[in-house]
């Protein structure tokens, strides 16, 4: 049985839970891993049918949006995924909880692309490259950890995970010039030359140097002067 501890931030609460747990949880994060040579047929990511959503939290509120996909591929051999890579456009990051064109929308969009967060001027793209895909066992669980409670405590990763995961996906996520390997449960389907993959999980933004108002540096959290380190991510990917 695989058990992965998680702690952290959220996104789109449309995913159902497959394990009980506390608030928070971020995916297992390790150093970058070698990408194996891919085999089989290469499918192209369908940008119009692929969505990468995010949700961030602070004690006094939440923000949501998407990061558009630029391009990508998925390699399939004998009914199994052998590799893949997706590139995201940080410069086109969108904020969806504020009215587009408003002063606050412009300020938040600019701030997220600034050096405080993604540093889009120097790192305009982010990438995710698959390093392994393993079957998900009925005995596999995600172990949750508690998090500082406020009115906007990040939703548990177990509530973001898909209801019936089929695989564990591991891959190198590169943002702001830093590459970390992450592992998360996903529901994957391969049918008639099409691959779909859905997943919901949390990451710790500070692992990639997005450390503005890092909650771990706040001595008195009761003052609510921090941003949760956990960010929720929901992937909905299609390749043809």
């Amino acid at each position: 049985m695989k058990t992965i501890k998680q702690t952290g931030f959220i996104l789109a609460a449309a995913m159902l839970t497959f394990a009980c747990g506390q608030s928070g949880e971020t995916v297992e994060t390790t150093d970058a891993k070698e990408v194996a040579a891919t085999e089989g047929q290469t499918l192209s990511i369908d940008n119009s049918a692929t969505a990468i959503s995010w949700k961030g939290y602070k004690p006094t509120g939440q923000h949501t949006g998407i990061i558009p996909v630029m391009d990508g591929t998925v390699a399939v051999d004998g009914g199994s995924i052998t590799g893949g890579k997706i590139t995201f456009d940080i410069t086109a990051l969108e904020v969806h909880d504020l009215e587009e064109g408003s002063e606050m929308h412009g300020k938040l969009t600019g701030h997220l692309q600034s050096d405080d967060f993604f540093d889009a001027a120097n790192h305009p793209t982010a990438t995710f490259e698959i390093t392994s895909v393993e079957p998900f066992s009925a005995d596999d669980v995600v172990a949750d950890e508690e998090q500082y409670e406020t009115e906007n405590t990040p939703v548990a990763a177990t509530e973001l995970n898909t209801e019936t995961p089929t695989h564990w996906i591991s891959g190198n996520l590169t943002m702001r010039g830093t590459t970390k390997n992450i592992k998360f449960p996903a529901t994957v389907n391969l049918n008639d030359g099409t691959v779909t993959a859905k997943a919901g999980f949390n990451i710790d933004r500070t692992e990639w140097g997005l450390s503005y108002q890092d909650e771990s540096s706040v001595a008195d959290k009761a003052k609510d002067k921090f941003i949760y380190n956990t960010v929720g991510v929901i992937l909905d990917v299609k390749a043809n």
Side-chain angles (χ1 to χ4, degrees):
M1 180 181 76
K2 304 182 188 73
T3 300
I4 289 186
K5 282 196 171 182
Q6 306 189 319
T7 44
F9 217 11
I10 137 179
L11 171 26
M15 308 303 256
L16 299 176
T17 168
F18 74 89
C20 297
Q22 310 286 337
S23 298
E25 319 79 41
T26 56
V27 292
E28 177 183 35
T29 305
T30 59
D31 291 338
K33 297 182 179 180
E34 183 178 358
V35 178
T38 57
E39 299 178 355
Q41 182 182 12
T42 299
L43 309 180
S44 296
I45 293 292
D46 183 346
N47 290 9
S48 64
T50 298
I52 311 299
S53 306
W54 58 267
K55 190 167 187 176
Y57 288 84
K58 55 186 177 180
T60 56
Q62 308 170 14
H63 292 296
T64 62
I66 67 168
I67 300 178
V69 174
M70 296 179 67
D71 55 56
T73 59
V74 175
V76 178
D77 185 35
S80 299
I81 294 177
T82 61
K85 183 177 181 179
I86 304 177
T87 301
F88 311 103
D89 188 355
I90 299 297
T91 66
L93 176 149
E94 298 179 13
V95 174
H96 286 173
D97 62 286
L98 299 173
E99 182 181 357
E100 187 173 0
S102 67
E103 181 179 1
M104 289 303 298
H105 181 277
K107 283 184 176 180
L108 180 57
T109 302
H111 194 197
L112 290 174
Q113 293 191 23
S114 76
D115 183 56
D116 283 341
F117 289 98
F118 286 102
D119 191 16
N122 294 306
H123 306 285
T125 63
T127 60
F128 178 74
E129 191 163 15
I130 295 173
T131 54
S132 69
V133 179
E134 307 168 69
F136 186 95
S137 167
D139 293 331
D140 292 345
V141 296
V142 174
D144 295 343
E145 295 180 355
E146 294 187 15
Q147 185 161 241
Y148 183 72
E149 294 287 338
T150 67
E151 291 184 0
N152 293 287
T153 304
V155 168
T158 50
E159 295 184 33
L160 297 181
N161 296 146
T162 58
E163 184 178 11
T164 54
T166 59
H167 294 79
W168 288 101
I169 296 180
S170 298
N172 293 331
L173 176 60
T174 301
M175 297 189 296
R176 198 184 163 107
T178 297
T179 301
K180 296 285 185 177
N181 192 273
I182 62 174
K183 182 176 183 178
F184 53 86
T187 299
V188 179
N189 289 295
L190 292 83
N191 187 32
D192 294 333
T194 298
V195 173
T196 60
K198 297 178 183 294
F201 53 89
N202 291 321
I203 63 172
D204 181 344
R205 62 188 173 95
T206 63
E207 293 273 2
W208 289 268
L210 284 73
S211 300
Y212 180 75
Q213 290 190 342
D214 177 356
E215 65 172 301
S216 66
S217 65
V218 178
D220 184 2
K221 287 187 176 179
K223 295 180 179 179
D224 293 342
K225 300 297 184 182
F226 68 93
I227 297 173
Y228 281 100
N229 292 349
T230 311
V231 177
V233 179
I234 287 183
L235 305 181
D236 193 346
V237 178
K238 182 178 181 180
N240 302 311

